[in-house]
């Protein structure tokens, strides 16, 4: 779950609204393995990478169970 929460700011979310989630997120972020993983892959969360193609956007967002099944 952690990688899905990392870009929360870019999605207009504040973890301050979710104190238990923020506590968990901060604990995971401080772990040595998480620090190493994210230090070696900063480009994964760069603004340039955040620019999705129309096809990528269709796959990642806006799908319901009905759409995904078709």
């Amino acid at each position: 779950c952690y990688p899905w929460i990392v870009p929360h700011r870019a999605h207009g979310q504040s973890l301050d609204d979710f104190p238990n989630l923020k506590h968990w997120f901060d604990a995971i972020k401080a772990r040595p393995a998480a620090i190493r993983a994210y230090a070696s892959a900063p480009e994964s969360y760069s603004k340039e990478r955040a620019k999705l193609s129309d096809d990528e956007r269709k796959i990642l967002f806006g799908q319901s169970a009905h759409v995904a099944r078709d």
Side-chain angles (χ1 to χ4, degrees):
C1 296
Y2 179 81
W4 287 94
I5 301 171
V6 169
H8 66 276
R9 287 187 203 103
H11 296 285
Q13 297 290 322
S14 172
L15 295 186
D16 292 332
D17 296 335
F18 308 95
N20 292 332
L21 178 61
K22 184 178 185 326
H23 174 76
W24 173 84
F25 181 81
D26 290 341
I28 298 298
K29 181 171 69 173
R31 293 177 60 100
I35 293 168
R36 286 191 307 272
Y38 284 87
S40 65
E43 67 278 358
S44 296
Y45 293 97
S46 71
K47 289 195 181 285
E48 288 74 34
R49 179 61 193 123
K51 296 176 183 168
L52 302 175
S53 71
D54 288 340
D55 287 337
E56 289 172 320
R57 189 167 298 283
K58 285 179 189 176
I59 290 168
L60 289 172
F61 305 107
Q63 292 187 32
S64 65
H66 181 266
V67 172
R69 185 177 54 238
D70 293 345

